[in-house]
Amino acid sequence: MREFGFFYVTNITNYDAATELKYLKQFFTLPTSTKMALAVKKHERNNKNIYRGYGPVVKNSGTQHKEMFNIGPHEGPTPSYQHTDSSLDKLRAISREQNVWPVSGDGEFDVEFKRVFRQGVQIRIAIAQGVIRSIARSLKAEEFVSRFTDHEFSTLGLRRYPVRTRINQNMKSEYDNVTLSELEHEDSTVTILTTFNCTGLQALYGDKYIDVPPSNEGFIINIGTIIEDITDKKIKAVRHRVKQVDFERHSIPFFFNPSFDADIGTSISGRLTAAGEKTKIFGEWMREYLPSVEPSLLEDSLTKDSDL
């Protein structure tokens, strides 16, 4: 983690990548009407869900070209809020947004889909918590763990990257002109990534993007910018992307995040972090970060009154 920011976890108890891939593929072949019933508010104005749920492929969306479905750790009702509440209180409710699940007409599929991915969330949370504890031990910064007590914004994302039918310059990297299906970015904290046997993921080392081998039956773990900042750059964040490939690609990232009210403005040494120059707590930082990395899923502002 100190040098590369990417590593692999294998031989995971009770984890079956093939089963997850099976249900992921089945979900994305459901009728459009079934999927749109679960769409986030940006794509279906009559729906209430803003972050957890379905996002269709947005054509001509630049360097991001994917179909997606987001699942969170929360099954209870979304906390209520009023239009007169502060934007931060609205965002706090969104962070605990209740999951939506497919009702396909195939009862067995609906039950198994929910079971498989609820279990998948829990498996990944346990691994991510282990990563956080390992970082804390290695840096002798035990208080670091307390910043991840609730992890409300944590999200499992099912992703389908279709082959582009046409290409223009807006779909190419400004860095090296490679055609992309996922924009160049750094994640927020800890990402547990499943790429199955799919190639396409690339990470920036030095001045060159290099191919990242697929996860196959395990997970790829990568570290994000907030952890790099809080650990005084002792743990490395890696900029990465997905290049366009000539086959339909699937992946499942799980984004494990700090508690909504976690202090991200102070590093483990007491230094003011880069994030802390603008925001004190993680939830507030996510207000700008999430729309910037998920422009095809989310509005520019997660808390615009017209969206709530």
Side-chain angles (χ1 to χ4, degrees):
M1 285 187 283
R2 292 174 184 260
E3 184 176 358
F4 296 107
F6 266 71
F7 63 94
Y8 290 77
V9 174
T10 58
N11 300 317
I12 302 147
T13 302
N14 297 324
Y15 178 66
D16 185 348
T19 298
E20 285 196 341
L21 182 59
K22 169 188 171 182
Y23 282 103
L24 178 156
K25 288 182 174 180
Q26 279 187 252
F27 173 80
F28 287 122
T29 60
L30 292 175
T32 299
S33 59
T34 301
K35 292 184 290 187
M36 288 303 293
L38 309 173
V40 296
K41 198 172 186 68
K42 177 173 182 175
H43 297 289
E44 180 48 73
R45 307 309 295 182
N46 292 326
N47 288 351
K48 295 182 178 180
N49 48 308
I50 292 174
Y51 181 45
R52 272 69 184 235
Y54 175 68
V57 176
V58 178
K59 295 182 179 179
N60 304 320
S61 58
T63 56
Q64 196 171 69
H65 188 67
K66 61 186 177 183
E67 185 179 19
M68 64 194 93
F69 184 71
N70 281 347
I71 302 166
H74 312 292
E75 292 298 336
T78 302
S80 61
Y81 50 85
Q82 305 296 324
H83 286 293
T84 54
D85 289 346
S86 71
S87 62
L88 197 60
D89 284 339
K90 293 173 183 176
L91 194 64
R92 184 175 281 105
I94 294 169
S95 75
R96 292 183 174 273
E97 192 170 63
Q98 184 177 16
N99 286 322
V100 293
W101 297 102
V103 179
S104 67
D106 180 341
E108 182 179 352
F109 166 79
D110 295 347
V111 168
E112 282 301 292
F113 180 88
K114 185 175 182 179
R115 182 194 67 79
V116 165
F117 290 113
R118 287 181 68 179
Q119 179 181 19
V121 168
Q122 294 307 311
I123 289 171
R124 290 165 171 88
I125 286 175
I127 291 173
Q129 289 172 329
V131 172
I132 294 299
R133 290 193 298 268
S134 294
I135 291 173
R137 284 195 302 268
S138 69
L139 300 180
K140 296 180 172 58
E142 293 303 321
E143 62 82 23
F144 180 68
V145 176
S146 67
R147 306 192 198 203
F148 294 82
T149 303
D150 295 318
H151 54 85
E152 298 95 329
F153 258 123
S154 296
T155 299
L156 182 77
L158 311 187
R159 303 290 189 256
R160 181 183 77 90
Y161 296 88
V163 177
R164 291 186 187 271
T165 56
R166 68 183 190 85
I167 295 173
N168 61 44
Q169 193 58 39
N170 290 336
M171 302 168 185
K172 294 180 179 293
S173 165
E174 294 182 358
Y175 187 80
D176 57 7
N177 211 39
V178 169
T179 302
L180 303 179
S181 57
E182 182 63 86
L183 52 77
E184 294 162 338
H185 66 286
E186 292 179 4
D187 289 340
S188 54
T189 49
V190 176
T191 300
I192 314 294
L193 178 63
T194 309
T195 58
F196 306 106
N197 62 348
C198 295
T199 56
L201 178 66
Q202 295 187 312
L204 182 64
Y205 289 103
D207 61 354
K208 184 178 180 180
Y209 275 98
I210 64 171
D211 293 329
V212 177
S215 63
N216 296 310
E217 294 295 320
F219 297 134
I220 300 168
I221 316 296
N222 77 278
I223 303 302
T225 184
I226 290 292
I227 285 188
E228 181 180 74
D229 205 7
I230 291 175
T231 62
D232 297 308
K233 300 188 183 300
K234 292 177 180 176
I235 304 296
K236 182 181 179 64
V238 180
R239 193 164 183 81
H240 55 282
R241 68 187 188 185
V242 177
K243 66 180 180 181
Q244 182 64 54
V245 291
D246 60 359
F247 56 87
E248 183 170 278
R249 184 180 183 275
H250 302 91
S251 71
I252 304 178
F254 176 71
F255 306 106
F256 183 75
N257 289 314
S259 302
F260 188 95
D261 290 304
D263 173 17
I264 61 167
T266 308
S267 77
I268 58 175
S269 68
R271 174 186 58 84
L272 178 68
T273 64
E277 294 176 2
K278 294 183 178 181
T279 58
K280 177 65 176 175
I281 63 173
F282 179 72
E284 194 171 12
W285 181 83
M286 285 288 271
R287 180 167 47 196
E288 294 185 7
Y289 172 79
L290 267 181
S292 73
V293 296
E294 294 286 11
S296 61
L297 184 73
L298 300 168
E299 302 283 6
D300 292 340
S301 171
L302 284 174
T303 55
K304 287 196 301 189
D305 285 343
S306 60
D307 298 329
L308 300 174

